[in-house]
Amino acid sequence: MLVGRKIELVFDPFDLTRIDVRWRGRSMGQAVPHVIGRHVHAKARPDDTSPPEPVRTGIDYLNLVQQQHTTELAQRVQYAQLRDEPVLDGHVHGQLQLPGTGDGDTDGDTDGDVDEVTL
């Protein structure tokens, strides 16, 4: 009866459970929801939407990352294994002899003489 006609829908925007239909100012009843379903032939098989199984390459990426990490850890400086052995001139490896300390030589050369120092 209302097909092709201009109607009004009266509803509460916070409660869409009840929608009234009006035509030319008269109430025509409540709106009935139309259930939209999929139109498929009864004998049609459903589409296979599962993703295909990935192709195996035979490469163990996790093991490669672990080996690289282990190699990098082995190449780092291990401070606990460094020894504090004095060398022949009396200082420790990794420490520089400062000019004017220890040997009485203030110019930093190895001749043992005291040269001019400018401060």
Side-chain angles (χ1 to χ4, degrees):
M1 171 177 171
L2 297 176
V3 176
R5 304 188 191 244
K6 190 172 184 177
I7 60 168
E8 291 180 359
L9 298 177
V10 181
F11 59 92
D12 179 7
F14 299 107
D15 181 21
L16 295 176
T17 58
R18 179 178 170 95
I19 300 175
D20 291 323
V21 179
R22 291 189 182 185
W23 177 61
R24 293 189 177 172
R26 296 186 321 191
S27 177
M28 302 304 281
Q30 273 192 305
V32 178
H34 179 71
V35 178
I36 300 174
R38 186 170 180 186
H39 303 287
V40 179
H41 192 272
K43 292 185 179 181
R45 286 180 272 137
D47 295 335
D48 184 20
T49 58
S50 61
E53 181 147 342
V55 178
R56 299 200 179 266
T57 62
I59 299 172
D60 187 2
Y61 290 103
L62 187 58
N63 189 29
L64 291 174
V65 170
Q66 182 182 14
Q67 287 176 357
Q68 181 181 0
H69 180 69
T70 304
T71 304
E72 289 175 0
L73 286 177
Q75 293 174 353
R76 289 184 182 173
V77 175
Q78 298 178 4
Y79 294 102
Q81 294 180 357
L82 293 177
R83 293 178 278 165
D84 291 335
E85 295 178 0
V87 290
L88 296 177
D89 60 355
H91 71 276
V92 178
H93 285 290
Q95 293 180 346
L96 297 176
Q97 188 70 29
L98 296 175
T101 60
D103 62 356
D105 188 11
T106 58
D107 60 352
D109 59 10
T110 58
D111 60 2
D113 64 341
V114 178
D115 294 333
E116 180 180 324
V117 177
T118 307
L119 298 177

PDB file of all heavy atoms in Angstrom, residues 62-76 78:
ATOM      1  N   LEU A  62      64.745 -18.595  12.638  1.00  0.00           N
ATOM      2  CA  LEU A  62      64.935 -18.356  14.064  1.00  0.00           C
ATOM      3  C   LEU A  62      66.310 -18.850  14.511  1.00  0.00           C
ATOM      4  O   LEU A  62      66.998 -18.172  15.273  1.00  0.00           O
ATOM      5  CB  LEU A  62      63.832 -19.040  14.865  1.00  0.00           C
ATOM      6  CG  LEU A  62      63.799 -18.759  16.358  1.00  0.00           C
ATOM      7  CD1 LEU A  62      63.672 -17.258  16.609  1.00  0.00           C
ATOM      8  CD2 LEU A  62      62.664 -19.494  17.021  1.00  0.00           C
ATOM      9  N   ASN A  63      66.732 -19.989  14.012  1.00  0.00           N
ATOM     10  CA  ASN A  63      68.055 -20.509  14.348  1.00  0.00           C
ATOM     11  C   ASN A  63      69.156 -19.611  13.785  1.00  0.00           C
ATOM     12  O   ASN A  63      70.179 -19.378  14.441  1.00  0.00           O
ATOM     13  CB  ASN A  63      68.210 -21.940  13.832  1.00  0.00           C
ATOM     14  CG  ASN A  63      69.461 -22.602  14.347  1.00  0.00           C
ATOM     15  OD1 ASN A  63      69.942 -22.287  15.430  1.00  0.00           O
ATOM     16  ND2 ASN A  63      69.991 -23.518  13.574  1.00  0.00           N
ATOM     17  N   LEU A  64      68.970 -19.067  12.582  1.00  0.00           N
ATOM     18  CA  LEU A  64      69.967 -18.164  11.995  1.00  0.00           C
ATOM     19  C   LEU A  64      70.116 -16.894  12.832  1.00  0.00           C
ATOM     20  O   LEU A  64      71.234 -16.423  13.065  1.00  0.00           O
ATOM     21  CB  LEU A  64      69.572 -17.800  10.560  1.00  0.00           C
ATOM     22  CG  LEU A  64      69.654 -18.918   9.538  1.00  0.00           C
ATOM     23  CD1 LEU A  64      69.087 -18.445   8.199  1.00  0.00           C
ATOM     24  CD2 LEU A  64      71.082 -19.383   9.370  1.00  0.00           C
ATOM     25  N   VAL A  65      69.006 -16.356  13.293  1.00  0.00           N
ATOM     26  CA  VAL A  65      69.061 -15.146  14.127  1.00  0.00           C
ATOM     27  C   VAL A  65      69.750 -15.460  15.451  1.00  0.00           C
ATOM     28  O   VAL A  65      70.570 -14.675  15.939  1.00  0.00           O
ATOM     29  CB  VAL A  65      67.637 -14.595  14.362  1.00  0.00           C
ATOM     30  CG1 VAL A  65      67.640 -13.506  15.406  1.00  0.00           C
ATOM     31  CG2 VAL A  65      67.057 -14.073  13.059  1.00  0.00           C
ATOM     32  N   GLN A  66      69.454 -16.621  16.025  1.00  0.00           N
ATOM     33  CA  GLN A  66      70.081 -17.002  17.292  1.00  0.00           C
ATOM     34  C   GLN A  66      71.591 -17.185  17.118  1.00  0.00           C
ATOM     35  O   GLN A  66      72.367 -16.740  17.960  1.00  0.00           O
ATOM     36  CB  GLN A  66      69.456 -18.293  17.818  1.00  0.00           C
ATOM     37  CG  GLN A  66      70.034 -18.729  19.153  1.00  0.00           C
ATOM     38  CD  GLN A  66      69.437 -20.035  19.621  1.00  0.00           C
ATOM     39  OE1 GLN A  66      68.784 -20.749  18.872  1.00  0.00           O
ATOM     40  NE2 GLN A  66      69.667 -20.356  20.880  1.00  0.00           N
ATOM     41  N   GLN A  67      72.023 -17.801  16.028  1.00  0.00           N
ATOM     42  CA  GLN A  67      73.457 -17.981  15.785  1.00  0.00           C
ATOM     43  C   GLN A  67      74.160 -16.643  15.604  1.00  0.00           C
ATOM     44  O   GLN A  67      75.256 -16.424  16.134  1.00  0.00           O
ATOM     45  CB  GLN A  67      73.675 -18.855  14.549  1.00  0.00           C
ATOM     46  CG  GLN A  67      73.361 -20.308  14.774  1.00  0.00           C
ATOM     47  CD  GLN A  67      73.511 -21.113  13.494  1.00  0.00           C
ATOM     48  OE1 GLN A  67      73.799 -20.572  12.432  1.00  0.00           O
ATOM     49  NE2 GLN A  67      73.298 -22.420  13.600  1.00  0.00           N
ATOM     50  N   GLN A  68      73.545 -15.726  14.871  1.00  0.00           N
ATOM     51  CA  GLN A  68      74.146 -14.412  14.671  1.00  0.00           C
ATOM     52  C   GLN A  68      74.247 -13.666  15.998  1.00  0.00           C
ATOM     53  O   GLN A  68      75.263 -13.033  16.291  1.00  0.00           O
ATOM     54  CB  GLN A  68      73.323 -13.597  13.674  1.00  0.00           C
ATOM     55  CG  GLN A  68      73.907 -12.228  13.408  1.00  0.00           C
ATOM     56  CD  GLN A  68      73.068 -11.408  12.442  1.00  0.00           C
ATOM     57  OE1 GLN A  68      72.042 -11.863  11.962  1.00  0.00           O
ATOM     58  NE2 GLN A  68      73.509 -10.211  12.159  1.00  0.00           N
ATOM     59  N   HIS A  69      73.225 -13.759  16.824  1.00  0.00           N
ATOM     60  CA  HIS A  69      73.237 -13.091  18.123  1.00  0.00           C
ATOM     61  C   HIS A  69      74.338 -13.675  19.015  1.00  0.00           C
ATOM     62  O   HIS A  69      75.066 -12.943  19.680  1.00  0.00           O
ATOM     63  CB  HIS A  69      71.870 -13.228  18.789  1.00  0.00           C
ATOM     64  CG  HIS A  69      71.773 -12.580  20.130  1.00  0.00           C
ATOM     65  ND1 HIS A  69      71.806 -11.213  20.305  1.00  0.00           N
ATOM     66  CD2 HIS A  69      71.666 -13.110  21.375  1.00  0.00           C
ATOM     67  CE1 HIS A  69      71.714 -10.934  21.589  1.00  0.00           C
ATOM     68  NE2 HIS A  69      71.630 -12.073  22.257  1.00  0.00           N
ATOM     69  N   THR A  70      74.471 -14.986  19.021  1.00  0.00           N
ATOM     70  CA  THR A  70      75.502 -15.643  19.820  1.00  0.00           C
ATOM     71  C   THR A  70      76.887 -15.227  19.354  1.00  0.00           C
ATOM     72  O   THR A  70      77.780 -14.966  20.170  1.00  0.00           O
ATOM     73  CB  THR A  70      75.342 -17.167  19.736  1.00  0.00           C
ATOM     74  OG1 THR A  70      74.011 -17.512  20.147  1.00  0.00           O
ATOM     75  CG2 THR A  70      76.336 -17.881  20.624  1.00  0.00           C
ATOM     76  N   THR A  71      77.085 -15.134  18.043  1.00  0.00           N
ATOM     77  CA  THR A  71      78.368 -14.701  17.487  1.00  0.00           C
ATOM     78  C   THR A  71      78.685 -13.269  17.898  1.00  0.00           C
ATOM     79  O   THR A  71      79.818 -12.957  18.277  1.00  0.00           O
ATOM     80  CB  THR A  71      78.353 -14.817  15.952  1.00  0.00           C
ATOM     81  OG1 THR A  71      78.022 -16.154  15.594  1.00  0.00           O
ATOM     82  CG2 THR A  71      79.697 -14.452  15.356  1.00  0.00           C
ATOM     83  N   GLU A  72      77.695 -12.395  17.842  1.00  0.00           N
ATOM     84  CA  GLU A  72      77.912 -11.001  18.234  1.00  0.00           C
ATOM     85  C   GLU A  72      78.238 -10.886  19.717  1.00  0.00           C
ATOM     86  O   GLU A  72      79.069 -10.062  20.111  1.00  0.00           O
ATOM     87  CB  GLU A  72      76.679 -10.161  17.894  1.00  0.00           C
ATOM     88  CG  GLU A  72      76.491  -9.940  16.407  1.00  0.00           C
ATOM     89  CD  GLU A  72      75.197  -9.215  16.077  1.00  0.00           C
ATOM     90  OE1 GLU A  72      74.439  -8.875  17.014  1.00  0.00           O
ATOM     91  OE2 GLU A  72      74.937  -8.996  14.886  1.00  0.00           O
ATOM     92  N   LEU A  73      77.604 -11.707  20.545  1.00  0.00           N
ATOM     93  CA  LEU A  73      77.910 -11.679  21.972  1.00  0.00           C
ATOM     94  C   LEU A  73      79.336 -12.148  22.238  1.00  0.00           C
ATOM     95  O   LEU A  73      80.015 -11.639  23.122  1.00  0.00           O
ATOM     96  CB  LEU A  73      76.928 -12.558  22.752  1.00  0.00           C
ATOM     97  CG  LEU A  73      75.514 -12.008  22.928  1.00  0.00           C
ATOM     98  CD1 LEU A  73      74.651 -13.021  23.666  1.00  0.00           C
ATOM     99  CD2 LEU A  73      75.522 -10.688  23.662  1.00  0.00           C
ATOM    100  N   ALA A  74      79.809 -13.120  21.470  1.00  0.00           N
ATOM    101  CA  ALA A  74      81.161 -13.650  21.664  1.00  0.00           C
ATOM    102  C   ALA A  74      82.223 -12.630  21.258  1.00  0.00           C
ATOM    103  O   ALA A  74      83.345 -12.664  21.766  1.00  0.00           O
ATOM    104  CB  ALA A  74      81.336 -14.939  20.874  1.00  0.00           C
ATOM    105  N   GLN A  75      81.887 -11.717  20.345  1.00  0.00           N
ATOM    106  CA  GLN A  75      82.859 -10.746  19.856  1.00  0.00           C
ATOM    107  C   GLN A  75      82.948  -9.511  20.750  1.00  0.00           C
ATOM    108  O   GLN A  75      83.852  -8.705  20.586  1.00  0.00           O
ATOM    109  CB  GLN A  75      82.503 -10.314  18.434  1.00  0.00           C
ATOM    110  CG  GLN A  75      82.656 -11.434  17.437  1.00  0.00           C
ATOM    111  CD  GLN A  75      82.154 -11.047  16.062  1.00  0.00           C
ATOM    112  OE1 GLN A  75      81.571  -9.981  15.885  1.00  0.00           O
ATOM    113  NE2 GLN A  75      82.368 -11.908  15.086  1.00  0.00           N
ATOM    114  N   ARG A  76      82.065  -9.358  21.697  1.00  0.00           N
ATOM    115  CA  ARG A  76      82.094  -8.199  22.595  1.00  0.00           C
ATOM    116  C   ARG A  76      83.263  -8.314  23.571  1.00  0.00           C
ATOM    117  O   ARG A  76      83.766  -9.401  23.844  1.00  0.00           O
ATOM    118  CB  ARG A  76      80.810  -8.097  23.391  1.00  0.00           C
ATOM    119  CG  ARG A  76      79.623  -7.696  22.568  1.00  0.00           C
ATOM    120  CD  ARG A  76      78.436  -7.520  23.461  1.00  0.00           C
ATOM    121  NE  ARG A  76      77.260  -7.167  22.672  1.00  0.00           N
ATOM    122  CZ  ARG A  76      76.047  -7.079  23.171  1.00  0.00           C
ATOM    123  NH1 ARG A  76      75.834  -7.303  24.450  1.00  0.00           N
ATOM    124  NH2 ARG A  76      75.038  -6.760  22.401  1.00  0.00           N
ATOM    125  N   GLN A  78      84.811  -8.713  26.989  1.00  0.00           N
ATOM    126  CA  GLN A  78      84.375  -9.302  28.246  1.00  0.00           C
ATOM    127  C   GLN A  78      85.288  -8.770  29.342  1.00  0.00           C
ATOM    128  O   GLN A  78      86.389  -9.252  29.549  1.00  0.00           O
ATOM    129  CB  GLN A  78      84.414 -10.816  28.159  1.00  0.00           C
ATOM    130  CG  GLN A  78      83.458 -11.333  27.089  1.00  0.00           C
ATOM    131  CD  GLN A  78      83.515 -12.842  26.937  1.00  0.00           C
ATOM    132  OE1 GLN A  78      84.216 -13.517  27.668  1.00  0.00           O
ATOM    133  NE2 GLN A  78      82.760 -13.341  25.986  1.00  0.00           N
TER     134      GLN A  78
END
